[in-house]
Amino acid sequence: MWAEADGKGGMEKAKDKKKSLSTIVIDKTDTEMQEDETPEEQWRVVLHNDEVHTFNYVIRSLQKVIGTIDKKKSFDICTVTHGQGQATVTTCWKEQAMKYCLGLQRQGLTASIAPESKFEGGGDSGGEPDSGSG
């Protein structure tokens, strides 16, 4: 009743002469794309203290480069940086962290990035989105 199509196991249409019925079998191969389910690691943009720039200059620079940071948040970051030597400005994916870091450096500030998992040092509260000040 079935005829082998090409010797590779595929089947083709075969006709049952008694009942005039046709059966078509289609070989279906599931090709699922495997997605990389490993989440991308977060990176911190870290601002380091210097004795050159004023608070007002740093506040304006942070607002200009980051864009989502308001004046009060910028002031809080400056306060932590001044007191602890460094502060986290923001946490994001690596490519964006590099852009922010370069932007801050173009403003003359000392900044770096560090992977969240390997971050060591103070200034954690400086850039956390919902941290309270006090």
Side-chain angles (χ1 to χ4, degrees):
M1 176 157 212
W2 294 102
E4 209 169 322
D6 55 6
K8 296 181 183 174
M11 302 306 275
E12 67 179 16
K13 180 177 174 181
K15 199 167 191 173
D16 185 352
K17 293 181 182 179
K18 292 180 184 176
K19 298 181 183 178
S20 298
L21 297 175
S22 297
T23 305
I24 300 173
V25 177
I26 301 171
D27 287 339
K28 183 178 177 184
T29 305
D30 289 333
T31 55
E32 275 187 37
M33 297 286 288
Q34 290 185 356
E35 293 182 24
D36 184 14
E37 295 184 15
T38 305
E40 185 173 353
E41 185 174 19
Q42 293 287 297
W43 287 68
R44 289 181 184 234
V45 179
V46 181
L47 178 66
H48 300 273
N49 191 32
D50 66 29
E51 300 299 325
V52 179
H53 300 95
T54 65
F55 265 44
N56 285 334
Y57 179 79
V58 176
I59 289 168
R60 285 194 312 270
S61 296
L62 286 169
Q63 289 178 293
K64 178 180 179 180
V65 172
I66 306 300
T68 57
I69 296 179
D70 62 8
K71 192 172 187 176
K72 182 187 180 327
K73 187 65 174 173
S74 296
F75 179 79
D76 291 344
I77 292 169
C78 287
T79 303
V80 172
T81 303
H82 185 71
Q84 296 186 9
Q86 66 183 19
T88 299
V89 176
T90 189
T91 303
C92 55
W93 64 95
K94 185 177 182 179
E95 185 178 338
Q96 187 63 51
M98 288 173 36
K99 289 178 183 179
Y100 287 154
C101 183
L102 287 173
L104 292 171
Q105 290 171 348
R106 286 188 187 115
Q107 297 296 311
L109 303 177
T110 306
S112 63
I113 63 171
E116 181 72 25
S117 63
K118 297 179 182 171
F119 180 76
E120 294 178 7
D124 291 348
S125 64
E128 296 303 319
D130 295 321
S131 66
S133 59

